[in-house]
Every structure is written in structure tokens, then in C-alpha cells.
Amino acid sequence: MAMAALREASRRLASSRNAATRPLLLTHSRGITHKLFIGGLSQFATEESLAEAFTRYGQVLEATIVTDKMTSRSKGFGFVKFASEEEANKAREDMNGKVLNGRVIYVDIAKTRQDRATGVVPIARGPPEPTGGN
């Protein structure tokens, strides 16, 4: 019964041409969000202040600041999720190089884990093997 209702809601959304009419919950649950990487954050920045700084560009779904597991202090970067690509691009253009909590921040599109792993050189494991006889 619930699956049929979900299919019907999905068909209605597919027939809708205006992306703004999509329910936020369905958009978020399908992973159709646009995430920005925010670097250079102050140690005094909070998730609330980060979300507040970016709400003027659109609806912020989530704002997170990455913290050290041992000390619980900010690592100096975080992420902001927007529901639409236009809002995320506008925020990236306007906020990159601006001052937030006394620090200049830089804003870029967040990369997926697969994107970060490409082109990475493996870590050396000990000294190199001898190549020839002396």
C-alpha cells in the first residue's frame, strides 16, 4: 500500500515541470542536494552561524562543521547543503573570499569521496628496495 502511494507521488513529481514544487523531504531523501565545501573557518564558528551566513542565498538543508574526534575542536572546514544548484552556485560566487567570524573563507563545490581518491599517490611503505648489486 505504501509503495503504491510512493509510486504515485513519484509519477506526479515526474510530470511536474517546475523543480520548485518538489517536496523538500523527497528531494533530500533521493540525494538531490548540492553541497558546498567551506574552508578557512574560525574555531569559533558554529553550525548555526554557518547556516545563518548562507541562508540569504537559498534554503539551507544542513550546515556541518568537521571537528576533531579527540579534542572536539573545529578542523577549520565544513559543508553546507542546498536544495537547488542555482542557490549553491550563487552562494559559492558571492561568499568565496568573504570574511566570516574574522577569517576569510573559501567556498567550492564539495567533491565526492570517489573524486578525491583519483590521482592520489600511494603512501610509501618503508625504504626503497635495492636495485642493483654493488
Side-chain angles (χ1 to χ4, degrees):
M1 186 78 108
M3 196 62 160
L6 184 60
R7 280 192 210 116
E8 180 61 29
S10 179
R11 276 191 222 115
R12 287 183 186 164
L13 285 175
S15 66
S16 172
R17 294 179 191 248
N18 187 357
T21 61
R22 291 183 184 157
L24 178 62
L25 181 61
L26 187 58
T27 302
H28 186 63
S29 68
R30 288 189 175 180
I32 310 171
T33 60
H34 301 279
K35 196 179 212 182
L36 295 178
F37 170 82
I38 317 298
L41 291 174
S42 165
Q43 66 179 3
F44 303 110
T46 63
E47 292 178 349
E48 292 79 23
S49 68
L50 187 60
E52 184 180 321
F54 283 86
T55 53
R56 72 179 107 179
Y57 300 104
Q59 186 174 13
V60 173
L61 299 177
E62 180 182 20
T64 57
I65 294 179
V66 178
T67 57
D68 184 86
K69 291 180 183 177
M70 297 296 287
T71 63
S72 299
R73 293 181 65 188
S74 169
K75 287 190 173 185
F77 67 93
F79 299 94
V80 176
K81 281 186 186 179
F82 285 94
S84 78
E85 184 176 9
E86 296 81 25
E87 293 171 349
N89 286 333
K90 179 71 173 152
R92 182 175 58 91
E93 292 168 7
D94 289 353
M95 289 296 285
N96 192 26
K98 300 287 183 184
V99 176
L100 182 66
N101 293 340
R103 301 267 317 256
V104 176
I105 61 170
Y106 57 96
V107 182
D108 200 4
I109 302 296
K111 295 177 174 65
T112 61
R113 293 189 188 271
Q114 294 85 7
D115 292 346
R116 289 186 290 157
T118 57
V120 175
V121 179
I123 298 173
R125 303 285 183 216
E129 296 292 324
T131 55
N134 286 358

